[in-house]
Amino acid sequence: MDRPATRRRLGMRIAIGVLAALPLLLLLGLAVFPWGILRGAVTRAATERFGRPVTIGSVHRVDAIGFHPVIAVEKLRIPQATWAGQGDFATLERAEIRFSVWPLLKGAFVPEDIRVSGLRLALVRDQQGRTNWSRPGAPEKGGSSTDLQGLVITDGVIRYSDARQDRDATLRIAADPDRGVRAEGPGSVRGAPVRIMFTGAAVKPGRWPFTATITGDTLSMTARGTMDRPFDTDAMTLDLTARADDLKRIDAVIEAGLFQTRAVQLAAHVRHDRPRWTITDLTGRIGRSDLAGHLTVDKKAGRTLLDGELTARQLDFDDLSSAEGRAEAAALERRIGPRLVPNTRIDISKIDTTDGTIRFKVGRVVSAQGPSPITGLAGRMTMDRQLLTIGDIRMALREGVVTGQAVIDQRNGRKVPRLSLDLRLKGASVLSLSGQTAITGQVAARAKLTGSGETVRAAVGRSDGRIGLVVANGSLPDRYAAALGFDAGAAFMGDSGRATLRCLVLGVDMRNGTGRADPLIVDTSRSRLDGTGMVSFPDERLALRLTGAPKQGATLRLAGAATVGGTLEKPDLVIPREVKSVGNIFKSIGRAITGDSGPKAQNAACGALARQVLR
């Protein structure tokens, strides 16, 4: 008998037996593993996660054996962040967690069932947006998702304080297999008291329906929908309705960078597939303005990307400001008088992480102050790293249309926005712009300005560029035309006929908000008026000198010049005392008797002048 060969065969069998038994031994060890010995490792990991010392009273295994162990965690305490105030961020009396050991082999911890009692959470966000639940130094992440097969919560309280959006809440939370998840309690949004309630189905694998409501006198919101999995806010569909005294109050909840308005009602269908929000069937009213549209909100490289379209059958611009804003504007107008250039704010410094394009279209513009000359409005707003371009502007008037673009540049940390305007008016008439008037004519205009300021008015008040205005192919009362030629006799005793308005041409060269009139001409079939002077912004003050001459023999021609002061909204024509003095009138009578009424005016080169100022 070959004893060495026998020994080798025996050794081989033993080795094979050991190799076969080793996995079984490892599985047995995994099935009975005393998970409580990892309390120290868990404590250290949690301390690193939150950046402050976490303490755990005990961690022990509840069941005896199995690959879906149940561990109990007792007396958990996570201190509050030093900047967030006193007390604790989280305390927990007891939690039992059932999980599968198999994902652990891949480095993942996947709980299957959780039972929690005595939970206290104090969530805080400061004015700068820092949160006490985030990993120190790490960027914000999306909502959590879970494949939980069950959740039980007893005696849970969550407190939330958000200085950035001025909102807070204290919610009692409970969950069980019979009544599902419930959270309810008082809160406030921008100082207005509200009641908050959240209900969800019992937690189990699969789609998870939920309802969330905020109710109060100044704010009410309801969201009804379904998450793809319990608590998976990164994948959900919902229908949202909202009512508030101000769009800014709704923005304190949804954080979309919206502005103050009149009372608002909104409804929309929403789908979230992280990182994209898709908003469809958007409808609503702000004051007496309506809106409808769709919008997608995406996230890329830490920036928010917008793409959408908004339409309104009717728009009142006053609806897009708060009562406080309208009161401030009215007080300013009472103090300084009416102004032609609006005082709309254009500071976009806080819109520092949002890009995208919004197309808009308005059926008609209305105003509480009376009929608006604007019958339609359309355009496209594009934001690219704090460069806002409002392009393809088309503002339809009762007659004519305004086209062009406006650009607001606040890139590279610019504290004061820079506004560039390039607007054209075509096809309008004097009657459509000014209402009832004895003067007719076709109107065209061009404004090309660049300046810096926190409002449109302030930017124009520091602008460089050019403004041009042309009125042509019109008519006016004969006595008006005579007056423009400083023919006092014909102005006061002329017939009731009409003269031709060949052109009115005004060009204003702007330098740092002060414009020099060059040219200023009113040319009629009977006379010609020429002017020089200045227009100062933002107070819109006029300082013009006017001289006129007839093209035919004058009945009673006055020598001298008139001045125009006041503002664009309220001009003040002043005829100097020496022009209308008795002596000057007698001199004019004498010149009329002798036939020496002075040189006659020549026709202006209306076409060339119009091209010059509208270029």
Side-chain angles (χ1 to χ4, degrees):
M1 184 175 186
D2 188 353
R3 290 184 177 179
T6 302
R7 285 196 295 270
R8 283 196 299 274
R9 287 193 295 272
L10 179 60
M12 184 65 70
R13 290 173 185 152
I14 293 173
I16 292 173
V18 170
L19 290 175
L22 184 58
L24 297 176
L25 292 173
L26 290 175
L27 290 175
L28 179 62
L30 196 59
V32 298
F33 187 80
W35 297 98
I37 65 174
L38 298 179
R39 180 175 70 89
V42 172
T43 301
R44 288 191 296 272
T47 296
E48 180 184 358
R49 162 65 177 79
F50 290 100
R52 40 199 188 268
V54 176
T55 58
I56 300 176
S58 68
V59 177
H60 60 274
R61 184 165 184 164
V62 176
D63 63 331
I65 186 171
F67 298 113
H68 296 267
V70 179
I71 61 172
V73 178
E74 296 180 333
K75 302 298 182 182
L76 169 72
R77 176 179 176 270
I78 304 175
Q80 187 60 275
T82 55
W83 56 265
Q86 302 296 318
D88 294 321
F89 163 64
T91 60
L92 178 66
E93 286 297 313
R94 180 181 173 88
E96 290 187 4
I97 305 169
R98 178 168 61 87
F99 62 95
S100 172
V101 300
W102 308 118
L104 289 176
L105 301 179
K106 298 179 181 180
F109 177 71
V110 181
E112 297 175 337
D113 188 276
I114 299 176
R115 294 175 175 268
V116 174
S117 63
L119 172 66
R120 298 292 184 271
L121 274 178
L123 308 176
V124 179
R125 182 164 74 160
D126 67 9
Q127 186 68 42
Q128 290 70 44
R130 180 173 45 175
T131 58
N132 67 342
W133 59 85
S134 300
R135 184 186 297 272
E140 288 289 322
K141 295 184 178 180
S144 61
S145 62
T146 177
D147 286 315
L148 278 177
Q149 299 173 17
L151 175 67
V152 175
I153 300 175
T154 58
D155 188 24
V157 178
I158 299 176
R159 291 182 173 86
Y160 176 72
S161 177
D162 186 342
R164 187 180 182 89
Q165 293 294 341
D166 187 16
R167 60 190 184 188
D168 62 78
T170 300
L171 305 178
R172 301 198 69 86
I173 182 169
D176 60 61
D178 297 324
R179 292 180 293 175
V181 179
R182 305 171 309 284
E184 183 179 8
S188 68
V189 178
R190 298 186 77 220
V194 295
R195 189 80 183 174
I196 302 169
M197 178 178 289
F198 179 91
T199 60
V203 172
K204 58 184 179 181
R207 299 178 68 81
W208 192 61
F210 70 93
T211 300
T213 62
I214 300 174
T215 56
D217 292 338
T218 59
L219 173 66
S220 292
M221 298 181 68
T222 300
R224 291 187 175 90
T226 303
M227 299 182 193
D228 289 8
R229 296 181 295 177
F231 302 107
D232 189 359
T233 58
D234 287 341
M236 63 177 177
T237 302
L238 59 95
D239 290 304
L240 176 69
T241 60
R243 172 192 58 79
D245 63 336
D246 181 356
L247 190 60
K248 190 67 175 178
R249 201 178 302 278
I250 294 176
D251 186 64
V253 178
I254 65 176
E255 299 188 42
L258 303 176
F259 45 87
Q260 289 185 302
T261 66
R262 281 178 168 152
V264 57
Q265 294 182 11
L266 295 174
H269 181 73
V270 182
R271 174 65 192 178
H272 186 206
D273 290 296
R274 180 176 169 82
R276 172 172 292 188
W277 292 86
T278 303
I279 303 169
T280 56
D281 299 329
L282 173 64
T283 60
R285 297 195 67 84
I286 302 175
R288 59 175 179 164
S289 304
D290 67 279
L291 63 90
H294 60 85
L295 180 68
T296 60
V297 184
D298 215 340
K299 295 283 187 178
K300 186 176 183 180
R303 300 189 66 79
T304 300
L305 307 178
L306 305 178
D307 184 76
E309 183 172 340
L310 295 174
T311 62
R313 290 170 297 181
Q314 175 174 291
L315 173 65
D316 184 341
F317 283 108
D318 281 347
D319 290 337
L320 305 183
S321 61
S322 65
E324 295 83 358
R326 294 191 298 275
E328 290 175 3
L332 179 63
E333 182 170 324
R334 287 193 298 270
R335 187 169 71 251
I336 67 174
R339 293 289 185 265
L340 184 65
V341 180
N343 203 39
T344 307
R345 291 189 61 82
I346 57 174
D347 191 321
I348 57 174
S349 59
K350 293 183 179 180
I351 312 176
D352 54 355
T353 60
T354 300
D355 300 319
T357 298
I358 304 292
R359 295 162 292 280
F360 60 90
K361 185 176 182 180
V362 176
R364 68 187 183 113
V365 176
V366 297
S367 173
Q369 285 72 45
S372 171
I374 303 173
T375 60
L377 179 64
R380 183 187 71 252
M381 295 187 296
T382 300
M383 177 75 82
D384 183 9
R385 297 183 181 272
Q386 293 186 299
L387 177 67
L388 175 61
T389 301
I390 307 174
D392 296 338
I393 295 173
R394 184 175 180 82
M395 183 186 299
L397 308 176
R398 286 192 291 266
E399 285 186 54
V401 62
V402 176
T403 59
Q405 73 171 15
V407 178
I408 301 170
D409 188 353
Q410 209 159 353
R411 294 173 294 178
N412 303 320
R414 185 192 295 269
K415 292 184 178 180
V416 179
R418 186 173 182 81
L419 172 67
S420 297
L421 293 173
D422 188 357
L423 301 174
R424 288 181 179 271
L425 168 64
K426 294 181 179 180
S429 69
V430 175
L431 180 63
S432 66
L433 295 177
S434 61
Q436 187 174 0
T437 176
I439 301 173
T440 67
Q442 297 299 307
V443 181
R446 173 87 183 272
K448 191 171 184 179
L449 303 171
T450 299
S452 297
E454 293 186 349
T455 66
V456 174
R457 184 178 297 167
V460 172
R462 303 185 186 99
S463 67
D464 297 331
R466 188 165 179 81
I467 302 171
L469 172 67
V470 174
V471 181
N473 302 321
S475 67
L476 71 168
D478 190 76
R479 61 182 183 278
Y480 288 10
L484 292 172
F486 280 52
D487 185 349
F492 289 103
M493 298 179 293
D495 58 34
S496 58
R498 297 186 67 82
T500 299
L501 175 61
R502 298 185 67 246
C503 64
L504 179 158
V505 180
L506 170 64
V508 180
D509 283 314
M510 296 284 291
R511 293 292 179 270
N512 196 30
T514 298
R516 180 174 59 87
D518 179 27
L520 170 53
I521 295 173
V522 182
D523 190 23
T524 75
S525 57
R526 179 158 188 158
S527 61
R528 172 172 162 173
L529 180 142
D530 289 75
T532 59
M534 312 297 288
V535 183
S536 300
F537 293 88
D539 56 4
E540 303 179 7
R541 191 150 297 280
L542 299 169
L544 302 175
R545 183 178 184 273
L546 307 176
T547 59
K551 291 184 177 180
Q552 306 155 5
T555 303
L556 184 61
R557 181 178 179 180
L558 297 178
T563 61
V564 178
T567 66
L568 290 175
E569 281 282 339
K570 290 186 176 182
D572 182 20
L573 176 64
V574 177
I575 300 176
R577 182 179 303 171
E578 61 271 17
V579 174
K580 58 184 179 180
S581 67
V582 173
N584 198 30
I585 293 175
F586 276 114
K587 289 180 183 179
S588 299
I589 294 173
R591 286 192 294 269
I593 295 173
T594 61
D596 182 17
S597 58
K600 306 296 188 298
Q602 302 299 313
N603 287 343
C606 289
L609 290 170
R611 289 190 294 272
Q612 172 188 330
V613 301
L614 297 178
R615 68 181 188 275

